Amino acid sequence: MRRSLIAGLVLAVFSALIIWLGDWLGLDLEHIALLGAALGGVLGLVPHSLPIGKLGGFVVGFVVAWVGFALRAAVLPDSSSGRAVAAFLVVAVIAAACGVSAGRLPLWSGLLGAAAIVGAYEETYTNAPSQFLQDSPTAGSTVLFAVALGYLATSLVAEGLPTPAAGASSWNRWFTRAEPNPAAGDDAGGIDDILSGESK
């Protein structure tokens, strides 16, 4: 409870900070501050056996969803059928990429990455599909900035840097699968096992 409270309060401060920084830097962050902070907060809070993997999954989902917008702008019809095909392809490719990674890239973080760019850019795209090349980089960079601060708030500030295993460096800890500790009540993967149907 105490950890959740601290993480939530720090994330609230960072959410306000995102808006303030956006105004100071001349970035339009007001409309996506809470979205980015919340997604970054979830990315930082949810554990994964390979910490760098959840960041990789987020990036994969983000890029695939951005390519989905590119397909809509260049190839697919601007209709319900076109949007349905794009949605199907985006989710299917993310799922395939996470599946091929053998659990290193969790599906949930890939979906968070897709949600980030869709939440930040969908309305702008709908209003001006032909401006994809001009508008999408701005939307993508601003939401990534907000996500990064949200991730920082929960992962590095509230939760602290990961405690390295005995004899391992902090750097290695981020690239090495964490082994569960039954004596401490650890499960063999937490949310990853639940989503894959392997929880016990």
Side-chain angles (χ1 to χ4, degrees):
M1 177 179 172
R2 181 169 174 266
R3 177 173 291 184
S4 296
L5 179 61
I6 293 174
L9 290 175
V10 173
L11 186 59
V13 171
F14 269 64
S15 299
L17 181 64
I18 289 169
I19 296 176
W20 180 80
L21 284 175
D23 183 61
W24 185 62
L25 296 172
L27 302 174
D28 185 19
L29 290 172
E30 293 185 8
H31 304 295
I32 53 100
L34 185 56
L35 170 69
L39 293 177
V42 171
L43 191 63
L45 286 172
V46 178
H48 180 56
S49 58
L50 189 63
I52 196 68
K54 61 184 180 180
L55 296 177
F58 181 91
V59 171
V60 167
F62 188 92
V63 171
V64 170
W66 182 85
V67 172
F69 278 113
L71 289 175
R72 287 171 60 184
V75 179
L76 298 174
D78 188 18
S79 62
S80 297
S81 61
R83 289 186 286 273
V85 170
F88 172 82
L89 291 175
V90 166
V91 176
V93 171
I94 293 171
C98 294
V100 169
S101 75
R104 293 179 179 84
L105 304 179
L107 178 59
W108 61 265
S109 70
L111 296 176
L112 281 183
I117 184 63
V118 171
Y121 181 56
E122 179 66 40
E123 183 177 357
T124 301
Y125 175 84
T126 301
N127 292 334
S130 62
Q131 298 300 309
F132 168 76
L133 292 178
Q134 290 77 24
D135 294 340
S136 63
T138 301
S141 59
T142 52
V143 75
L144 284 177
F145 179 73
V147 168
L149 288 181
Y151 179 82
L152 178 69
T154 55
S155 180
L156 302 183
V157 179
E159 295 294 324
L161 290 172
T163 302
S169 67
S170 296
W171 180 259
N172 288 338
R173 173 70 177 87
W174 279 78
F175 291 89
T176 307
R177 284 182 179 273
E179 295 297 329
N181 182 2
D186 291 349
D187 294 326
I191 192 171
D192 298 321
D193 286 346
I194 293 172
L195 292 175
S196 63
E198 298 174 1
S199 60
K200 297 180 180 178

